[in-house]
Amino acid sequence: MSHMPKLPMDEQIEKVRSFNRFYTRHIGLLNEGLLESAFSLTEARVLYEMAHRGPVTAADLGRELGLDAGYLSRLVKRFNAQGLIQRSPSQGDRRQFLLSLTEKGLAAFAPLNQASAIQVAAMLSGLSVSERERLVQAMTTVERLVGGGFEPNLPYILRSHQPGDIGWIAHRQGLLYAREYGWDQTFEALVAEIAAVFVRNFDPQWERCWIAERAGEVIGSVFLVRHSDEVAKLRLLYVEPSARGLGLGRRLVDECIGFARAKRYKTLTLWTNDVLVAARNIYQATGFRLVKEEAHHSFGKDLVGQTWDLDL
């Protein structure tokens, strides 16, 4: 049975409303004209879409911007009367007309575009490099969560670890496993300990960390750690909930296996818990075999620890 999501708390609603009030005031949306121009925010956005998309139908423009058809029609008529746009018959449907900016329209839009860039540059110039990165990342997160997630075909990249990644991985794993399995802070401490040892003793010739990143956001990771000349360990595999279904977990495990084979390890081993069904399915699909199970109490739960091996 599916469960209805919990309603947002009053303080969460008020925080969002407070942010909306702050941002509309901060970028001047309360002024009569946007960026000290004769155009409203909606008018400027319509000009922007036509400047960047080229010829477009009014129907497509209305769907893209979520504008009422009657309101958009009046706006288009006004722009046409001012000589800012031109209409031409659509080749695909003679009943439709394509809208595009005239030279006068482009000239009217240019200072708007430049003023917007100058305004944002001024806003960012008072921040440090790291603060700018945090701000942009936060805005990306807002856009993704409120806008319905990532584009389906938006690619991700795999890269090696960088400063800041290790702490982030410990934070995210501690948070996710607490939410999804009820594990306590001892798990986060274990992750932090494993990650810290990896960084201190990192040998790039024999070890590797893969960070999966999409649109500037870390969405998963895995570590391969040298145990001996013949044995490597796969550690700390995780995938963000927003990236599940992409086959990312399988891809990260495959990268570990390929690296271990290239380095001529004879065995790749890992340890997990029986509650991690998705991870167990990945390991079975990539050729790992379960070699040992033992009951134990950790992370505030009674669990079955599992050891998996892959002969290379």
Side-chain angles (χ1 to χ4, degrees), residues 240-268:
E240 287 284 346
S242 63
R244 292 170 186 170
L246 300 176
L248 178 57
R250 173 68 181 266
R251 170 76 186 282
L252 290 168
V253 171
D254 283 342
E255 292 290 335
C256 282
I257 294 172
F259 181 83
R261 283 182 172 144
K263 295 301 180 181
R264 299 187 181 279
Y265 286 112
K266 292 184 178 181
T267 302
L268 182 59

PDB file of all heavy atoms in Angstrom, residues 240-268:
ATOM      1  N   GLU A 240      22.753   8.314  -4.572  1.00  0.00           N
ATOM      2  CA  GLU A 240      21.716   9.217  -4.077  1.00  0.00           C
ATOM      3  C   GLU A 240      20.336   8.762  -4.561  1.00  0.00           C
ATOM      4  O   GLU A 240      20.203   8.248  -5.677  1.00  0.00           O
ATOM      5  CB  GLU A 240      21.970  10.647  -4.575  1.00  0.00           C
ATOM      6  CG  GLU A 240      23.137  11.355  -3.911  1.00  0.00           C
ATOM      7  CD  GLU A 240      22.796  11.838  -2.514  1.00  0.00           C
ATOM      8  OE1 GLU A 240      21.597  11.864  -2.152  1.00  0.00           O
ATOM      9  OE2 GLU A 240      23.735  12.202  -1.775  1.00  0.00           O
ATOM     10  N   PRO A 241      19.304   8.948  -3.744  1.00  0.00           N
ATOM     11  CA  PRO A 241      17.949   8.574  -4.171  1.00  0.00           C
ATOM     12  C   PRO A 241      17.547   9.197  -5.501  1.00  0.00           C
ATOM     13  O   PRO A 241      16.865   8.568  -6.305  1.00  0.00           O
ATOM     14  CB  PRO A 241      17.066   9.091  -3.022  1.00  0.00           C
ATOM     15  CG  PRO A 241      17.964   9.054  -1.820  1.00  0.00           C
ATOM     16  CD  PRO A 241      19.332   9.409  -2.341  1.00  0.00           C
ATOM     17  N   SER A 242      17.983  10.434  -5.757  1.00  0.00           N
ATOM     18  CA  SER A 242      17.611  11.112  -7.006  1.00  0.00           C
ATOM     19  C   SER A 242      18.240  10.474  -8.229  1.00  0.00           C
ATOM     20  O   SER A 242      17.803  10.723  -9.353  1.00  0.00           O
ATOM     21  CB  SER A 242      18.033  12.589  -6.938  1.00  0.00           C
ATOM     22  OG  SER A 242      19.446  12.709  -6.829  1.00  0.00           O
ATOM     23  N   ALA A 243      19.281   9.649  -8.031  1.00  0.00           N
ATOM     24  CA  ALA A 243      19.987   9.045  -9.168  1.00  0.00           C
ATOM     25  C   ALA A 243      19.709   7.549  -9.287  1.00  0.00           C
ATOM     26  O   ALA A 243      20.322   6.876 -10.117  1.00  0.00           O
ATOM     27  CB  ALA A 243      21.495   9.286  -9.021  1.00  0.00           C
ATOM     28  N   ARG A 244      18.826   7.026  -8.470  1.00  0.00           N
ATOM     29  CA  ARG A 244      18.527   5.602  -8.556  1.00  0.00           C
ATOM     30  C   ARG A 244      17.700   5.312  -9.803  1.00  0.00           C
ATOM     31  O   ARG A 244      16.876   6.109 -10.214  1.00  0.00           O
ATOM     32  CB  ARG A 244      17.799   5.136  -7.284  1.00  0.00           C
ATOM     33  CG  ARG A 244      18.718   5.177  -6.071  1.00  0.00           C
ATOM     34  CD  ARG A 244      17.991   4.958  -4.762  1.00  0.00           C
ATOM     35  NE  ARG A 244      18.907   5.157  -3.639  1.00  0.00           N
ATOM     36  CZ  ARG A 244      18.528   5.221  -2.374  1.00  0.00           C
ATOM     37  NH1 ARG A 244      17.248   5.102  -2.062  1.00  0.00           N
ATOM     38  NH2 ARG A 244      19.417   5.410  -1.412  1.00  0.00           N
ATOM     39  N   GLY A 245      17.960   4.161 -10.401  1.00  0.00           N
ATOM     40  CA  GLY A 245      17.293   3.807 -11.644  1.00  0.00           C
ATOM     41  C   GLY A 245      18.124   4.095 -12.873  1.00  0.00           C
ATOM     42  O   GLY A 245      17.732   3.757 -13.993  1.00  0.00           O
ATOM     43  N   LEU A 246      19.281   4.718 -12.689  1.00  0.00           N
ATOM     44  CA  LEU A 246      20.170   5.033 -13.812  1.00  0.00           C
ATOM     45  C   LEU A 246      21.171   3.922 -14.097  1.00  0.00           C
ATOM     46  O   LEU A 246      21.906   3.987 -15.085  1.00  0.00           O
ATOM     47  CB  LEU A 246      20.950   6.331 -13.528  1.00  0.00           C
ATOM     48  CG  LEU A 246      20.146   7.613 -13.311  1.00  0.00           C
ATOM     49  CD1 LEU A 246      21.090   8.755 -12.940  1.00  0.00           C
ATOM     50  CD2 LEU A 246      19.349   7.961 -14.555  1.00  0.00           C
ATOM     51  N   GLY A 247      21.223   2.912 -13.236  1.00  0.00           N
ATOM     52  CA  GLY A 247      22.263   1.893 -13.372  1.00  0.00           C
ATOM     53  C   GLY A 247      23.603   2.359 -12.836  1.00  0.00           C
ATOM     54  O   GLY A 247      24.641   1.760 -13.128  1.00  0.00           O
ATOM     55  N   LEU A 248      23.582   3.430 -12.014  1.00  0.00           N
ATOM     56  CA  LEU A 248      24.827   3.999 -11.509  1.00  0.00           C
ATOM     57  C   LEU A 248      25.532   3.057 -10.541  1.00  0.00           C
ATOM     58  O   LEU A 248      26.762   2.938 -10.564  1.00  0.00           O
ATOM     59  CB  LEU A 248      24.545   5.348 -10.835  1.00  0.00           C
ATOM     60  CG  LEU A 248      25.744   6.061 -10.199  1.00  0.00           C
ATOM     61  CD1 LEU A 248      26.840   6.302 -11.228  1.00  0.00           C
ATOM     62  CD2 LEU A 248      25.300   7.378  -9.569  1.00  0.00           C
ATOM     63  N   GLY A 249      24.767   2.385  -9.666  1.00  0.00           N
ATOM     64  CA  GLY A 249      25.398   1.456  -8.724  1.00  0.00           C
ATOM     65  C   GLY A 249      26.153   0.362  -9.447  1.00  0.00           C
ATOM     66  O   GLY A 249      27.292   0.034  -9.087  1.00  0.00           O
ATOM     67  N   ARG A 250      25.552  -0.209 -10.479  1.00  0.00           N
ATOM     68  CA  ARG A 250      26.213  -1.252 -11.269  1.00  0.00           C
ATOM     69  C   ARG A 250      27.457  -0.681 -11.955  1.00  0.00           C
ATOM     70  O   ARG A 250      28.506  -1.330 -12.019  1.00  0.00           O
ATOM     71  CB  ARG A 250      25.222  -1.795 -12.308  1.00  0.00           C
ATOM     72  CG  ARG A 250      25.811  -2.768 -13.318  1.00  0.00           C
ATOM     73  CD  ARG A 250      26.214  -4.081 -12.678  1.00  0.00           C
ATOM     74  NE  ARG A 250      26.787  -4.980 -13.656  1.00  0.00           N
ATOM     75  CZ  ARG A 250      26.103  -5.913 -14.326  1.00  0.00           C
ATOM     76  NH1 ARG A 250      24.793  -6.052 -14.112  1.00  0.00           N
ATOM     77  NH2 ARG A 250      26.695  -6.702 -15.178  1.00  0.00           N
ATOM     78  N   ARG A 251      27.347   0.543 -12.456  1.00  0.00           N
ATOM     79  CA  ARG A 251      28.490   1.169 -13.143  1.00  0.00           C
ATOM     80  C   ARG A 251      29.658   1.362 -12.178  1.00  0.00           C
ATOM     81  O   ARG A 251      30.821   1.082 -12.535  1.00  0.00           O
ATOM     82  CB  ARG A 251      28.051   2.526 -13.709  1.00  0.00           C
ATOM     83  CG  ARG A 251      29.185   3.409 -14.243  1.00  0.00           C
ATOM     84  CD  ARG A 251      29.714   2.962 -15.583  1.00  0.00           C
ATOM     85  NE  ARG A 251      30.874   3.730 -15.991  1.00  0.00           N
ATOM     86  CZ  ARG A 251      30.829   4.971 -16.510  1.00  0.00           C
ATOM     87  NH1 ARG A 251      29.645   5.575 -16.693  1.00  0.00           N
ATOM     88  NH2 ARG A 251      31.937   5.589 -16.874  1.00  0.00           N
ATOM     89  N   LEU A 252      29.386   1.807 -10.960  1.00  0.00           N
ATOM     90  CA  LEU A 252      30.457   2.024  -9.989  1.00  0.00           C
ATOM     91  C   LEU A 252      31.133   0.697  -9.607  1.00  0.00           C
ATOM     92  O   LEU A 252      32.362   0.639  -9.493  1.00  0.00           O
ATOM     93  CB  LEU A 252      29.895   2.709  -8.743  1.00  0.00           C
ATOM     94  CG  LEU A 252      29.469   4.181  -8.926  1.00  0.00           C
ATOM     95  CD1 LEU A 252      28.662   4.663  -7.727  1.00  0.00           C
ATOM     96  CD2 LEU A 252      30.676   5.074  -9.160  1.00  0.00           C
ATOM     97  N   VAL A 253      30.327  -0.348  -9.429  1.00  0.00           N
ATOM     98  CA  VAL A 253      30.900  -1.653  -9.108  1.00  0.00           C
ATOM     99  C   VAL A 253      31.734  -2.170 -10.284  1.00  0.00           C
ATOM    100  O   VAL A 253      32.823  -2.719 -10.101  1.00  0.00           O
ATOM    101  CB  VAL A 253      29.788  -2.651  -8.736  1.00  0.00           C
ATOM    102  CG1 VAL A 253      30.352  -4.067  -8.605  1.00  0.00           C
ATOM    103  CG2 VAL A 253      29.126  -2.235  -7.427  1.00  0.00           C
ATOM    104  N   ASP A 254      31.240  -1.991 -11.507  1.00  0.00           N
ATOM    105  CA  ASP A 254      31.990  -2.422 -12.692  1.00  0.00           C
ATOM    106  C   ASP A 254      33.338  -1.701 -12.786  1.00  0.00           C
ATOM    107  O   ASP A 254      34.344  -2.291 -13.210  1.00  0.00           O
ATOM    108  CB  ASP A 254      31.179  -2.167 -13.961  1.00  0.00           C
ATOM    109  CG  ASP A 254      30.069  -3.195 -14.163  1.00  0.00           C
ATOM    110  OD1 ASP A 254      30.134  -4.270 -13.538  1.00  0.00           O
ATOM    111  OD2 ASP A 254      29.134  -2.920 -14.946  1.00  0.00           O
ATOM    112  N   GLU A 255      33.352  -0.416 -12.422  1.00  0.00           N
ATOM    113  CA  GLU A 255      34.619   0.334 -12.446  1.00  0.00           C
ATOM    114  C   GLU A 255      35.610  -0.279 -11.463  1.00  0.00           C
ATOM    115  O   GLU A 255      36.801  -0.407 -11.760  1.00  0.00           O
ATOM    116  CB  GLU A 255      34.374   1.803 -12.101  1.00  0.00           C
ATOM    117  CG  GLU A 255      33.594   2.577 -13.146  1.00  0.00           C
ATOM    118  CD  GLU A 255      34.391   2.813 -14.417  1.00  0.00           C
ATOM    119  OE1 GLU A 255      35.638   2.813 -14.358  1.00  0.00           O
ATOM    120  OE2 GLU A 255      33.761   2.990 -15.486  1.00  0.00           O
ATOM    121  N   CYS A 256      35.133  -0.645 -10.278  1.00  0.00           N
ATOM    122  CA  CYS A 256      35.998  -1.284  -9.282  1.00  0.00           C
ATOM    123  C   CYS A 256      36.548  -2.605  -9.809  1.00  0.00           C
ATOM    124  O   CYS A 256      37.744  -2.900  -9.666  1.00  0.00           O
ATOM    125  CB  CYS A 256      35.215  -1.531  -7.988  1.00  0.00           C
ATOM    126  SG  CYS A 256      35.000  -0.073  -6.959  1.00  0.00           S
ATOM    127  N   ILE A 257      35.682  -3.408 -10.403  1.00  0.00           N
ATOM    128  CA  ILE A 257      36.109  -4.709 -10.915  1.00  0.00           C
ATOM    129  C   ILE A 257      37.146  -4.547 -12.022  1.00  0.00           C
ATOM    130  O   ILE A 257      38.173  -5.231 -12.051  1.00  0.00           O
ATOM    131  CB  ILE A 257      34.886  -5.506 -11.427  1.00  0.00           C
ATOM    132  CG1 ILE A 257      33.962  -5.863 -10.256  1.00  0.00           C
ATOM    133  CG2 ILE A 257      35.325  -6.771 -12.151  1.00  0.00           C
ATOM    134  CD1 ILE A 257      32.643  -6.489 -10.687  1.00  0.00           C
ATOM    135  N   GLY A 258      36.886  -3.617 -12.930  1.00  0.00           N
ATOM    136  CA  GLY A 258      37.835  -3.387 -14.021  1.00  0.00           C
ATOM    137  C   GLY A 258      39.191  -2.928 -13.520  1.00  0.00           C
ATOM    138  O   GLY A 258      40.235  -3.378 -14.010  1.00  0.00           O
ATOM    139  N   PHE A 259      39.185  -2.030 -12.538  1.00  0.00           N
ATOM    140  CA  PHE A 259      40.447  -1.534 -11.982  1.00  0.00           C
ATOM    141  C   PHE A 259      41.188  -2.663 -11.268  1.00  0.00           C
ATOM    142  O   PHE A 259      42.418  -2.803 -11.418  1.00  0.00           O
ATOM    143  CB  PHE A 259      40.155  -0.393 -11.006  1.00  0.00           C
ATOM    144  CG  PHE A 259      41.376   0.216 -10.388  1.00  0.00           C
ATOM    145  CD1 PHE A 259      42.110   1.182 -11.057  1.00  0.00           C
ATOM    146  CD2 PHE A 259      41.796  -0.170  -9.123  1.00  0.00           C
ATOM    147  CE1 PHE A 259      43.247   1.747 -10.481  1.00  0.00           C
ATOM    148  CE2 PHE A 259      42.918   0.388  -8.536  1.00  0.00           C
ATOM    149  CZ  PHE A 259      43.648   1.351  -9.226  1.00  0.00           C
ATOM    150  N   ALA A 260      40.460  -3.464 -10.486  1.00  0.00           N
ATOM    151  CA  ALA A 260      41.085  -4.571  -9.748  1.00  0.00           C
ATOM    152  C   ALA A 260      41.719  -5.574 -10.706  1.00  0.00           C
ATOM    153  O   ALA A 260      42.819  -6.079 -10.460  1.00  0.00           O
ATOM    154  CB  ALA A 260      40.046  -5.256  -8.868  1.00  0.00           C
ATOM    155  N   ARG A 261      41.042  -5.861 -11.811  1.00  0.00           N
ATOM    156  CA  ARG A 261      41.606  -6.788 -12.790  1.00  0.00           C
ATOM    157  C   ARG A 261      42.842  -6.201 -13.457  1.00  0.00           C
ATOM    158  O   ARG A 261      43.825  -6.899 -13.686  1.00  0.00           O
ATOM    159  CB  ARG A 261      40.541  -7.123 -13.840  1.00  0.00           C
ATOM    160  CG  ARG A 261      39.512  -8.132 -13.337  1.00  0.00           C
ATOM    161  CD  ARG A 261      38.508  -8.476 -14.396  1.00  0.00           C
ATOM    162  NE  ARG A 261      37.651  -9.574 -13.952  1.00  0.00           N
ATOM    163  CZ  ARG A 261      36.372  -9.686 -14.239  1.00  0.00           C
ATOM    164  NH1 ARG A 261      35.769  -8.763 -14.989  1.00  0.00           N
ATOM    165  NH2 ARG A 261      35.675 -10.730 -13.796  1.00  0.00           N
ATOM    166  N   ALA A 262      42.778  -4.894 -13.765  1.00  0.00           N
ATOM    167  CA  ALA A 262      43.916  -4.250 -14.410  1.00  0.00           C
ATOM    168  C   ALA A 262      45.150  -4.263 -13.507  1.00  0.00           C
ATOM    169  O   ALA A 262      46.283  -4.336 -13.993  1.00  0.00           O
ATOM    170  CB  ALA A 262      43.554  -2.822 -14.792  1.00  0.00           C
ATOM    171  N   LYS A 263      44.926  -4.195 -12.209  1.00  0.00           N
ATOM    172  CA  LYS A 263      46.029  -4.205 -11.245  1.00  0.00           C
ATOM    173  C   LYS A 263      46.413  -5.623 -10.809  1.00  0.00           C
ATOM    174  O   LYS A 263      47.264  -5.794  -9.945  1.00  0.00           O
ATOM    175  CB  LYS A 263      45.652  -3.373 -10.012  1.00  0.00           C
ATOM    176  CG  LYS A 263      45.473  -1.887 -10.326  1.00  0.00           C
ATOM    177  CD  LYS A 263      46.738  -1.284 -10.914  1.00  0.00           C
ATOM    178  CE  LYS A 263      46.575   0.185 -11.241  1.00  0.00           C
ATOM    179  NZ  LYS A 263      47.807   0.767 -11.830  1.00  0.00           N
ATOM    180  N   ARG A 264      45.756  -6.625 -11.393  1.00  0.00           N
ATOM    181  CA  ARG A 264      46.060  -8.038 -11.171  1.00  0.00           C
ATOM    182  C   ARG A 264      45.834  -8.490  -9.725  1.00  0.00           C
ATOM    183  O   ARG A 264      46.540  -9.348  -9.206  1.00  0.00           O
ATOM    184  CB  ARG A 264      47.484  -8.371 -11.623  1.00  0.00           C
ATOM    185  CG  ARG A 264      47.709  -8.106 -13.116  1.00  0.00           C
ATOM    186  CD  ARG A 264      49.063  -8.602 -13.566  1.00  0.00           C
ATOM    187  NE  ARG A 264      49.273  -8.329 -14.973  1.00  0.00           N
ATOM    188  CZ  ARG A 264      48.801  -9.045 -15.989  1.00  0.00           C
ATOM    189  NH1 ARG A 264      48.050 -10.097 -15.741  1.00  0.00           N
ATOM    190  NH2 ARG A 264      49.061  -8.725 -17.234  1.00  0.00           N
ATOM    191  N   TYR A 265      44.842  -7.862  -9.080  1.00  0.00           N
ATOM    192  CA  TYR A 265      44.393  -8.437  -7.813  1.00  0.00           C
ATOM    193  C   TYR A 265      43.732  -9.783  -8.119  1.00  0.00           C
ATOM    194  O   TYR A 265      43.136  -9.980  -9.188  1.00  0.00           O
ATOM    195  CB  TYR A 265      43.367  -7.525  -7.137  1.00  0.00           C
ATOM    196  CG  TYR A 265      43.953  -6.276  -6.515  1.00  0.00           C
ATOM    197  CD1 TYR A 265      43.680  -5.015  -7.042  1.00  0.00           C
ATOM    198  CD2 TYR A 265      44.745  -6.351  -5.386  1.00  0.00           C
ATOM    199  CE1 TYR A 265      44.193  -3.856  -6.472  1.00  0.00           C
ATOM    200  CE2 TYR A 265      45.259  -5.200  -4.798  1.00  0.00           C
ATOM    201  CZ  TYR A 265      44.989  -3.968  -5.345  1.00  0.00           C
ATOM    202  OH  TYR A 265      45.505  -2.835  -4.769  1.00  0.00           O
ATOM    203  N   LYS A 266      43.804 -10.706  -7.193  1.00  0.00           N
ATOM    204  CA  LYS A 266      43.189 -12.017  -7.395  1.00  0.00           C
ATOM    205  C   LYS A 266      41.788 -12.108  -6.808  1.00  0.00           C
ATOM    206  O   LYS A 266      40.958 -12.899  -7.257  1.00  0.00           O
ATOM    207  CB  LYS A 266      44.073 -13.114  -6.793  1.00  0.00           C
ATOM    208  CG  LYS A 266      45.388 -13.304  -7.544  1.00  0.00           C
ATOM    209  CD  LYS A 266      46.174 -14.470  -6.976  1.00  0.00           C
ATOM    210  CE  LYS A 266      47.467 -14.692  -7.770  1.00  0.00           C
ATOM    211  NZ  LYS A 266      48.240 -15.851  -7.227  1.00  0.00           N
ATOM    212  N   THR A 267      41.518 -11.270  -5.788  1.00  0.00           N
ATOM    213  CA  THR A 267      40.208 -11.299  -5.130  1.00  0.00           C
ATOM    214  C   THR A 267      39.760  -9.884  -4.816  1.00  0.00           C
ATOM    215  O   THR A 267      40.555  -9.042  -4.365  1.00  0.00           O
ATOM    216  CB  THR A 267      40.265 -12.116  -3.821  1.00  0.00           C
ATOM    217  OG1 THR A 267      40.698 -13.442  -4.106  1.00  0.00           O
ATOM    218  CG2 THR A 267      38.892 -12.179  -3.163  1.00  0.00           C
ATOM    219  N   LEU A 268      38.493  -9.623  -5.052  1.00  0.00           N
ATOM    220  CA  LEU A 268      37.864  -8.366  -4.647  1.00  0.00           C
ATOM    221  C   LEU A 268      36.797  -8.733  -3.625  1.00  0.00           C
ATOM    222  O   LEU A 268      35.917  -9.550  -3.893  1.00  0.00           O
ATOM    223  CB  LEU A 268      37.237  -7.663  -5.850  1.00  0.00           C
ATOM    224  CG  LEU A 268      36.567  -6.303  -5.595  1.00  0.00           C
ATOM    225  CD1 LEU A 268      37.564  -5.302  -5.012  1.00  0.00           C
ATOM    226  CD2 LEU A 268      35.964  -5.767  -6.888  1.00  0.00           C
TER     227      LEU A 268
END
